[in-house]
Amino acid sequence: NAGVTQTPKFQVLKTGQSMTLQCAQDMNHNSMYWYRQDPGMGLRLIYYSASEGTTDKGEVPNGYNVSRLNKREFSLRLESAAPSQTSVYFCASRTGQYTEAFFGQGTRLTVV
Amino acid sequence: AQRVTQPEKLLSVFKGAPVELKCNYSYSGSPELFWYVQYSRQRLQLLLRHISRESIKGFTADLNKGETSFHLKKPFAQEEDSAMYYCALSGHDYKLSFGAGTTVTVRA
């Protein structure tokens, strides 16, 4: 039982490049989330998907897009990476709005 | 809009001393409140949540709706409690918001 799996674990991009961060969960969870973690800023919500077929903006959505591919997978895309997007990105999933969230191991992204 | 505020970025206590991590929130409605912990080189994981009203690893948290607070407390800190702690709020729209986090260091 893998839980929440993120790929890749590390990535270095040049300014302007694009990439997609992948997230998959095998717990049959309905809701999925993308966060970024920055020193002193905590975890900030980028986008979330309450259920398959829906996505909503979080607190810091600018510069990102998401796709809820199916119930298991929720990807985060950076169309044109900027140095300000250097961060650690976490994916999470949970069953419902008041239940425990399970997190992936994180993706450390550096944009130079 | 929902918001979670953790006023302390860093907290240093001696082993055996009490520790309290503050969390205040704003939300128009009845949210569910959580505390998550991230130990070094480990994934973020749930420590406790309000609805369960349980004590985990000696930690407790009381929801004070009048003060909109959900402070985390432990009477006797242990070295293994050194970690980053996040307070989180979940509302009716499935959004899960976190505070800025508090890094706790327990000194021997």
Side-chain angles (χ1 to χ4, degrees):
Chain A
N1 196 342
V4 180
T5 303
Q6 292 181 232
T7 54
K9 288 187 174 58
F10 302 94
Q11 183 72 49
V12 178
L13 288 179
K14 293 183 178 179
T15 298
Q17 286 185 318
S18 63
M19 80 161 295
T20 300
L21 281 64
Q22 307 285 356
C23 175
Q25 52 91 8
D26 61 3
M27 296 174 281
N28 200 35
H29 286 167
N30 296 313
S31 303
M32 298 186 73
Y33 303 78
W34 275 106
Y35 296 88
R36 58 178 290 173
Q37 183 184 46
D38 301 290
M41 307 291 286
L43 283 168
R44 291 183 292 171
L45 182 63
I46 305 172
Y47 271 93
Y48 67 105
S49 171
S51 61
E52 186 179 358
T54 68
T55 60
D56 286 285
K57 294 179 180 179
E59 299 145 26
V60 289
N62 290 347
Y64 305 95
N65 285 301
V66 290
S67 295
R68 183 74 183 266
L69 304 169
N70 47 56
K71 191 171 186 179
R72 290 186 64 248
E73 298 170 289
F74 189 40
S75 63
L76 178 72
R77 183 160 178 83
L78 287 71
E79 290 291 352
S80 179
S84 60
Q85 294 179 304
T86 293
S87 187
V88 181
Y89 292 84
F90 287 97
C91 176
S93 71
R94 59 179 182 167
T95 301
Q97 65 202 94
Y98 298 130
T99 58
E100 175 184 0
F102 293 83
F103 283 80
Q105 80 280 19
T107 296
R108 187 173 295 275
L109 175 67
T110 303
V111 183
V112 297
Chain B
Q2 59 195 61
R3 181 183 293 273
V4 179
T5 303
Q6 293 180 251
E8 306 131 332
K9 285 190 168 53
L10 301 170
L11 203 56
S12 181
V13 300
F14 285 104
K15 179 181 174 181
V19 60
E20 181 179 27
L21 286 72
K22 290 185 168 49
C23 172
N24 289 89
Y25 67 91
S26 63
Y27 184 74
S28 53
S30 294
E32 177 59 19
L33 278 299
F34 306 83
W35 276 99
Y36 283 81
V37 60
Q38 188 175 28
Y39 300 106
S40 180
R41 299 187 185 85
Q42 292 188 28
R43 300 186 185 207
L44 201 68
Q45 58 187 282
L46 178 70
L47 179 62
L48 57 80
R49 54 181 173 167
H50 166 250
I51 198 170
S52 301
R53 298 186 186 279
E54 51 193 351
S55 173
I56 304 294
K57 299 184 179 181
F59 285 97
T60 58
D62 292 319
L63 178 63
N64 185 322
K65 291 186 178 181
E67 295 183 357
T68 58
S69 68
F70 189 57
H71 302 328
L72 182 69
K73 301 176 185 179
K74 184 169 182 177
F76 307 104
Q78 303 299 314
E79 289 182 72
E80 55 265 30
D81 296 329
S82 295
M84 172 78 90
Y85 292 80
Y86 288 99
C87 183
L89 179 155
S90 183
H92 67 277
D93 60 355
Y94 292 82
K95 186 182 289 188
L96 179 61
S97 300
F98 286 78
T102 299
T103 301
V104 173
T105 302
V106 181
R107 299 179 179 178

